[in-house]
Amino acid sequence: MVDLFDISENNILFEMKELIKNLNYHNQQYHTYDNPLITDGEYDKLFNKLIELETNYPQYKQLNSPTSRVGGIVLSEFSQYKHEVPMLSLGNIFTDIESLDKEIRHKDLLQFMQRISKELQIDAANLEFVCAPKYDGVAISLIYEDGFLVKALTRGDGSVGEDVTENIKTIKNIPLSLSCDLLTPSLVELRGEVLIFEHDFQRLNENQVRDGGKIYANPRNLAAGSIRQLDSSITASRPLRFYAYSLARISDDVNQIELFSEELALLKEFGFSIASECAIKVGSDGLIEYYEEMLQKRNMLPFGIDGVVYKLNSKQLQSKLGFVARAPRFAIAHKFPADEVESVLLNIEVQVGRTGALTPVAKVKPVNVGGVIVSNATLHNQDEISRKDIRVGDVIIVRRAGDVIPEVARSIPDRRINELAEFFMPENCPACGSAVKKEADGTILRCQAGLFCIAQKKQAITHFASKLALDIDGMGEKIVDQLVDDGLIKTIADIYRLDANQLINLERFAEKSANNLIKSIDKSKKTELHKLIYALGIRHVGEKSAKDLARAFGNLDNIRKATEVELLQVNDVGSIVANSILDFFAEEHNNIIINELISLGVNYPEVQAENLYNEKVTGKIFVITGSFLNYNRDEIKLKLESYGAKVSGSVSKKTNFVIVGSEAGSKLDKANELNIEIIDEEHLESLIKEISA
């Protein structure tokens, strides 16, 4: 035992650093490499000595101290930070599980290979990829400065994430400081997945049953909930693990990395766990071989996966392909077929969404599908119910489509014991009794009562309060139902007229919960423009469209006054979305509610509107044909569409311009025949500079 009264301050600091170095080394050997070098008793002895020193000399506690893993820091809320490098999603491809023919079974994969092969002008058979499991966990970004972990962020919306650093520090196989044989980089940011092993999850649930606690639904949800605990000691008690899968950025004091496989090797050298299932494969046959192998191993792995990921190994080729929208073009996720499980259809309920759409929902005998207990599953629409011959009482097959949304895949008519009645959608809205009307596409039934329909009203208010909208914590579906049913809320503006005294008298509310909800409502008054646009629930306007509208117009009044031509200038806003926006703001009732929201204190900082109008591009029809040296066709298309142009796949009399690269073919011939203006790559470059100025 160290004599705390006989050693100098320098000796104390040296002793602490040596203990930390040894403890972190043994922790990594045990948790990352599964290679324990000392007994638990010896480890505990060193750990307790460190705790004693830190208790007596807290001013010397180090950033990478393993005592941080115990947790105990309690936060009031999570701070939000912008990702310096956005956390992008991957595009998905699927397998036709009904077919044994390779060309049909792996059509999506072969098309992906064909596309990048053509753009890179490299034979697909020679393209080298790093293949890896697609973890069914929670994505996290870790930032190290001078070798020390300083920040951990959730994905959030891809642009902004939540700071969960104190919770992430409790995960034992995450290095608190990087292991480096050579120079420690001044900055490292990496991405990976937090997950829970299946056997750890099962053991945890067994303990919950023994103690009379809550049963957790699946490992992924538990992992997600664990890293968002305000008390880090709760996170520390969960069996979380971390697997790194890529570098986001690294300082210039590190030699340039030319291969993605070298990137993974460097992460492993830093001390991170890398899945042993990662492999380098070449060509389509190699990728298919990996996919089929992992599909067979899927249920034998210690952690859950819902597919595999292919990423080009060459960083130079990655850079050449670049990105589109929110995804890299050099990587793809190959999703596994949905898990399918047999169940019984107990009932069919018709739900009314916030836009009035009627959706049939299957109430099924609860069943575990891919680790999730499913009791509700979508039936899509009447046509699908009739086509699949699904009847209440049937033995059915439930699957998680894309491993996310439970659906009824099919019925098993041969298992019917008695004659079962066919199901038909109602002629009137089940929520308000109003007439329903089939839309032009012939599949969707919609209630015509608008906000007079109580279901639509409740859904609209719930949407307004949701996390991606105004984020009013505590105002979920049940609370909204109660507030609407009791007459306290008739429109979304009434949310800001509530007071705690009204709430205290209601079921589910006590003084503390009432005050908390009012605080959350007050906090939501200060928001962002795109969140407010999204919260209004304008049909066809999602989160991305709302951001595009905010960026294009700067404030809500400009959007309210916008013409169709002006709306069509906005990226990804076509005639359907534009007319939906125009229809929404043409309703006086909607404008009254917006004015009430503003008068009740809902506000946002204005953003600098971007000029997205160019007389040569906006409203014009372009056709792109051939290959280009300095651009790929998707980039040209996105740039033109962002300025309100329409990019068509065929040349007609309505076409204004044809952009021509090498090997243009028949579209160029057609353009000459119709005397349409031709733009070659040199003039294309001038056009892009002009509209970007």
Side-chain angles (χ1 to χ4, degrees):
M1 179 65 66
V2 177
D3 186 343
L4 299 177
F5 298 100
D6 283 342
I7 53 180
S8 69
E9 291 190 357
N10 284 338
N11 285 337
I12 292 167
L13 186 57
F14 176 79
E15 178 81 8
M16 290 174 78
K17 286 184 175 181
E18 283 298 301
L19 283 169
I20 289 169
K21 180 181 176 181
N22 285 328
L23 285 166
N24 283 340
Y25 173 74
H26 288 297
N27 188 61
Q28 186 180 79
Q29 292 296 315
Y30 182 89
H31 291 286
T32 303
Y33 303 125
D34 195 22
N35 179 40
L37 299 177
I38 59 175
T39 65
D40 290 349
E42 290 173 302
Y43 181 92
D44 291 341
K45 185 177 178 180
L46 295 172
F47 192 82
N48 290 333
K49 185 185 290 186
L50 178 61
I51 290 176
E52 184 178 0
L53 285 171
E54 289 181 346
T55 301
N56 287 279
Y57 300 96
Q59 68 271 31
Y60 297 134
K61 182 169 181 176
Q62 302 294 298
L63 283 173
N64 61 334
S65 171
T67 59
S68 304
R69 300 193 187 280
V70 178
I73 293 178
V74 180
L75 304 173
S76 59
E77 61 181 7
F78 295 107
S79 301
Q80 294 191 331
Y81 288 89
K82 180 179 175 61
H83 292 295
E84 292 296 325
V85 178
M87 291 188 74
L88 302 176
S89 302
L90 288 174
N92 293 324
I93 56 174
F94 296 88
T95 297
D96 185 345
I97 59 173
E98 304 295 332
S99 177
L100 295 177
D101 183 282
K102 186 179 79 171
E103 298 291 325
I104 299 173
R105 181 176 173 83
H106 293 290
K107 180 182 68 175
D108 285 3
L109 171 59
L110 296 173
Q111 287 177 347
F112 166 73
M113 291 292 284
Q114 185 180 26
R115 174 179 65 78
I116 63 174
S117 169
K118 184 177 179 181
E119 292 189 27
L120 295 172
Q121 296 185 331
I122 299 174
D123 189 337
N126 297 323
L127 288 172
E128 185 176 85
F129 289 81
V130 173
C131 305
K134 185 178 182 299
Y135 307 105
D136 191 15
V138 183
I140 291 291
S141 185
L142 304 181
I143 300 171
Y144 289 76
E145 293 179 359
D146 297 323
F148 293 97
L149 176 61
V150 295
K151 198 172 296 305
L153 301 176
T154 62
R155 180 191 296 276
D157 64 0
S159 299
V160 176
E162 290 181 312
D163 183 351
V164 289
T165 308
E166 296 305 325
N167 290 339
I168 291 301
K169 281 183 175 180
T170 69
I171 300 176
K172 293 182 174 60
N173 75 325
I174 290 181
L176 299 176
S177 56
L178 300 178
S179 302
C180 298
D181 292 335
L182 301 174
L183 179 69
T184 300
S186 57
L187 174 70
V188 174
E189 181 173 2
L190 63 122
R191 270 68 193 269
E193 204 93 358
V194 172
L195 44 81
I196 295 177
F197 277 14
E198 187 62 38
H199 68 267
D200 289 331
F201 177 74
Q202 296 296 343
R203 187 182 303 119
L204 191 61
N205 262 346
E206 288 168 7
N207 292 338
Q208 291 293 99
V209 171
R210 184 195 64 206
D211 299 336
K214 172 187 173 183
I215 303 298
Y216 300 112
N218 59 68
R220 188 197 181 284
N221 286 2
L222 179 58
S226 297
I227 63 172
R228 296 195 76 259
Q229 294 290 327
L230 293 175
D231 183 348
S232 59
S233 65
I234 297 175
T235 310
S237 70
R238 305 278 170 79
L240 301 172
R241 301 175 192 243
F242 178 82
Y243 278 80
Y245 56 65
S246 71
L247 270 173
R249 54 191 176 125
I250 191 165
S251 52
D252 294 336
D253 45 17
V254 176
N255 292 334
Q256 186 175 357
I257 300 169
E258 296 182 353
L259 298 175
F260 179 59
S261 54
E262 293 173 353
E263 187 176 303
L264 293 179
L266 181 61
L267 288 172
K268 190 171 183 178
E269 182 185 328
F270 284 157
F272 293 97
S273 297
I274 305 293
S276 60
E277 293 76 18
C278 291
I280 295 175
K281 297 289 182 179
V282 179
S284 303
D285 288 343
L287 300 190
I288 291 171
E289 177 188 40
Y290 183 81
Y291 173 87
E292 298 291 356
E293 180 185 343
M294 292 302 293
L295 182 59
Q296 294 300 315
K297 286 183 177 179
R298 178 184 191 180
N299 295 320
M300 295 182 279
L301 296 175
F303 44 75
I305 64 173
D306 55 6
V308 296
V309 174
Y310 311 128
K311 187 176 289 189
L312 272 173
N313 199 13
S314 166
K315 303 284 283 186
Q316 182 182 7
L317 295 182
Q318 287 185 15
S319 179
K320 190 172 181 179
L321 285 175
F323 300 81
V324 289
R326 298 172 66 85
R329 304 178 74 248
F330 51 81
I332 202 80
H334 195 166
K335 301 295 286 290
F336 286 149
D339 282 344
E340 296 189 343
V341 179
E342 193 175 286
S343 185
V344 176
L345 179 57
L346 304 176
N347 195 14
I348 297 176
E349 293 183 1
V350 178
Q351 297 181 352
V352 185
R354 66 181 178 86
T355 63
L358 273 60
T359 304
V361 176
K363 299 293 180 178
V364 306
K365 183 179 179 181
V367 63
N368 190 315
V369 186
V372 175
I373 303 300
V374 173
S375 56
N376 297 329
T378 182
L379 288 162
H380 300 293
N381 53 56
Q382 178 69 62
D383 290 350
E384 282 293 285
I385 294 171
S386 299
R387 183 179 69 80
K388 295 175 180 176
D389 190 20
I390 295 171
R391 308 185 186 192
V392 174
D394 268 338
V395 176
I396 55 171
I397 300 298
V398 180
R399 71 179 176 196
R400 291 175 65 201
D403 278 351
V404 178
I405 306 168
E407 69 171 351
V408 177
R410 57 190 178 276
S411 65
I412 308 178
D414 293 345
R415 302 275 291 275
R416 289 177 189 153
I417 299 173
N418 303 310
E419 186 67 27
L420 301 175
E422 292 184 57
F423 174 84
F424 295 100
M425 293 288 283
E427 295 180 358
N428 297 92
C429 174
C432 70
S434 301
V436 297
K437 182 180 177 182
K438 185 173 281 190
E439 293 206 330
D441 66 3
T443 59
I444 298 176
L445 289 172
R446 199 175 300 279
C447 171
Q448 302 302 297
L451 288 178
F452 294 103
C453 173
I454 192 168
Q456 292 180 66
K457 184 185 298 185
K458 288 178 178 178
Q459 291 283 338
I461 294 167
T462 303
H463 172 77
F464 183 87
S466 65
K467 187 170 184 63
L468 293 176
L470 270 288
D471 192 16
I472 303 176
D473 189 32
M475 189 168 276
E477 287 185 17
K478 290 183 179 179
I479 297 299
V480 170
D481 286 348
Q482 186 176 5
L483 295 173
V484 172
D485 291 343
D486 289 349
L488 294 179
I489 295 181
K490 294 184 175 63
T491 72
I492 54 176
D494 290 334
I495 293 171
Y496 297 96
R497 296 189 175 98
L498 293 171
D499 63 54
N501 291 329
Q502 290 175 303
L503 300 176
I504 288 172
N505 297 321
L506 301 178
E507 187 182 349
R508 294 194 183 95
F509 281 99
E511 184 176 352
K512 183 177 179 181
S513 57
N515 286 326
N516 284 343
L517 180 54
I518 296 301
K519 286 179 183 177
S520 185
I521 290 170
D522 286 342
K523 182 181 175 183
S524 75
K525 288 180 179 179
K526 188 176 181 180
T527 186
E528 295 175 71
L529 177 56
H530 71 271
K531 286 179 174 286
L532 180 56
I533 295 167
Y534 176 70
L536 293 175
I538 304 169
R539 197 164 166 224
H540 302 303
V541 175
E543 184 191 4
K544 184 179 183 302
S545 301
K547 288 181 178 179
D548 289 338
L549 288 165
R551 196 170 64 248
F553 290 98
N555 63 55
L556 195 55
D557 280 341
N558 287 342
I559 301 173
R560 291 163 84 174
K561 294 182 291 187
T563 64
E564 182 177 3
V565 172
E566 290 171 328
L567 289 169
L568 288 172
Q569 295 172 33
V570 180
N571 186 35
D572 283 344
V573 173
S575 58
I576 293 175
V577 178
N579 282 303
S580 182
I581 296 168
L582 292 170
D583 290 345
F584 181 87
F585 290 114
E587 287 287 339
E588 187 59 27
H589 172 78
N590 293 330
N591 288 298
I592 289 171
I593 289 176
I594 290 169
N595 292 337
E596 288 178 356
L597 287 171
I598 294 168
S599 68
L600 289 164
V602 176
N603 64 88
Y604 56 86
E606 290 195 18
V607 295
Q608 183 64 45
E610 297 179 4
N611 179 17
L612 296 179
Y613 180 84
N614 181 279
E615 61 181 12
K616 189 166 184 177
V617 173
T618 304
K620 301 296 193 296
I621 299 174
F622 288 76
V623 171
I624 306 169
T625 182
S627 302
F628 300 87
L629 289 173
N630 299 314
Y631 303 94
N632 65 58
R633 288 162 65 162
D634 286 340
E635 288 174 339
I636 301 169
K637 181 175 183 287
L638 286 171
K639 173 62 75 173
L640 294 172
E641 287 180 340
S642 71
Y643 281 82
K646 179 182 177 183
V647 178
S648 175
S650 59
V651 179
S652 71
K653 291 180 180 179
K654 295 182 179 179
T655 305
N656 298 107
F657 302 98
V658 176
I659 299 174
V660 175
S662 60
E663 302 176 8
S666 60
K667 290 178 183 176
L668 175 58
D669 296 336
K670 183 76 170 178
N672 287 325
E673 182 185 322
L674 296 174
N675 200 28
I676 295 168
E677 185 174 342
I678 305 296
I679 299 176
D680 60 19
E681 184 158 3
E682 182 181 346
H683 290 91
L684 170 64
E685 192 165 341
S686 299
L687 175 63
I688 288 176
K689 285 181 180 177
E690 177 190 333
I691 63 178
S692 301

